[in-house]
């Protein structure tokens, strides 16, 4: 597989899984074990390792999906991600380091749409086995003001 | 032509025709006959085939452009589209199935800018004849709340 | 270097320099002399050559960065750019003409995020020497209503 195209496919499939509500397929995009962390940029730059969402394995990612499906305590909503530019910063020893700008808008059940989040995906992607998988995805949010409605992964 | 680059060019030219107000060139990006449909995601998933904007031929697309140019009953405004990620889902028998996330902001005549629409382009693209053309473009909007000011194609 | 990938890298590095507050590296992305101009679309189409921000050399670009660092009279904020689609319109005599749609959101120090600007990058890129550099970047803003808080380059 062409490395660049494999990386772009993985990033696109990630957006599509979430935005099209195929959440059960989302954990499969990660290696196992893995590291998934949603954190504010400021906290990430300060070296903090705890954020507003965290998982270290596919099982933990799947648990989150189950709790979204079961609990259903939040007002139904969906996301739409747009991404770009994407940069492959390095690719050594089978791991590509990839940074991608993203915007995410949130669409509430009544159709109200708003800019929900912006930031960068800071990824370490296993590019040895195909299809490619995230060894690590850090979602570095530009804003410290994380919406309390953060239930669906970003 | 490289299929991926031809697909990206067509999608980019579509955005540019609309956003730069070269609307008369917009119908030429479609095959003839074609299918162009703007519909909410929910209605599309429910199998409905009628939306808020529809055309089945270049002539119908051009009619819409003429009516925008003539009628001019709406407050002047422009769009800015950003797109991505784009995924080529399949390419069989000369037709590529391509899905693309998009955001569209609307800029009113007084300069006021707002997030206008988000969703996916669900395309069937003729990749045999060059330049590539849309056999079908379904604009699946995330929100059911379609602005009554929808005059310019999305 | 593959021309397309070199162009995408330059555009991505530009976004990253600004959004990640590596402003001192931003002038290095330009040839010297160069032309950098932020202007409204309407004024640009009317043939005006003066905008809200202008530089003709790396030195002038760097001056702007210094004044941002020193003056610091504005409320701290950051941008997040997303771009796309990008079109390479032509590439003759070592200069690529490239147009790119962009959205820019602004994140204030308190975390408040808003859609700040949209428009097109109209670039002339030197594709003979590597890494590629901007001979000219015109930031054509969709809106005439330029925020008075425009301090950081767009």
């Amino acid at each position: 597989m062409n490395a660049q195209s494999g990386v772009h496919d993985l990033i696109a499939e990630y957006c599509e899984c979430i935005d099209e509500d195929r959440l059960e397929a989302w954990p499969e995009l990660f290696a196992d074990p893995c590291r998934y962390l949603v954190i504010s940029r400021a906290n990430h730059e300060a070296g903090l390792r705890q954020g507003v969402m965290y998982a270290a394995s596919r099982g933990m990612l799947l648990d989150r999906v189950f709790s979204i499906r079961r609990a259903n305590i939040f007002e139904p909503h969906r996301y739409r991600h747009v991404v770009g530019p994407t940069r492959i910063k390095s690719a050594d020893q089978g791991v590509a380091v990839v940074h991608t700008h993203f915007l995410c808008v949130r669409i509430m059940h009544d159709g109200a749409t708003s800019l929900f989040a912006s930031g960068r995906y800071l990824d370490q992607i296993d590019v040895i086995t195909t299809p490619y998988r995230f060894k690590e995805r850090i979602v570095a949010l530009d804003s410290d003001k994380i919406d309390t409605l953060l239930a669906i992964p970003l």
Side-chain angles (χ1 to χ4, degrees), chain A:
Chain A
M1 191 193 304
N2 171 277
Q4 195 167 323
S5 125
V7 162
H8 279 275
D9 276 358
L10 178 61
I11 290 170
E13 174 67 7
Y14 180 98
C15 293
E16 199 175 285
C17 276
I18 294 175
D19 294 1
E20 299 309 311
D21 199 27
R22 294 191 286 107
L23 293 178
E24 284 74 8
W26 167 71
E28 292 163 28
L29 305 178
F30 288 81
D32 197 10
C34 60
R35 186 159 176 255
Y36 173 73
L37 178 66
V38 181
I39 189 169
S40 75
R41 181 182 54 71
N43 283 350
H44 179 60
E45 286 173 3
L48 299 188
R49 293 176 61 84
Q50 271 149 331
V52 288
M53 221 185 264
Y54 174 77
S57 67
R58 280 194 186 173
M60 285 177 72
L61 293 165
L62 207 52
D63 275 350
R64 170 155 289 272
V65 174
F66 287 155
S67 77
I68 293 171
R69 295 300 190 205
R70 268 195 307 253
N72 220 2
I73 50 167
F74 54 84
E75 191 187 346
H77 60 276
R78 294 274 281 263
Y79 295 156
R80 180 63 56 195
H81 287 78
V82 292
V83 299
T86 288
R87 301 196 76 193
I88 301 179
K89 309 287 278 193
S90 65
D92 295 324
Q93 297 179 310
V95 177
V97 174
V98 182
H99 294 177
T100 301
H101 291 210
F102 74 87
L103 294 185
C104 179
V105 303
R106 190 176 62 188
I107 305 98
M108 302 309 290
H109 198 245
D110 66 357
T113 300
S114 60
L115 181 59
F116 180 57
S118 69
R120 283 201 299 171
Y121 291 126
L122 309 174
D123 299 328
Q124 292 190 26
I125 297 176
D126 174 357
V127 295
I128 287 183
T129 46
T130 56
Y132 294 173
R133 293 293 172 246
F134 295 108
K135 289 172 70 71
E136 176 173 281
R137 165 156 277 201
I138 296 174
V139 186
L141 299 173
D142 288 326
S143 173
D144 285 318
K145 240 166 73 179
I146 312 294
D147 198 289
T148 54
L149 204 54
L150 184 66
I152 303 172
L154 263 170

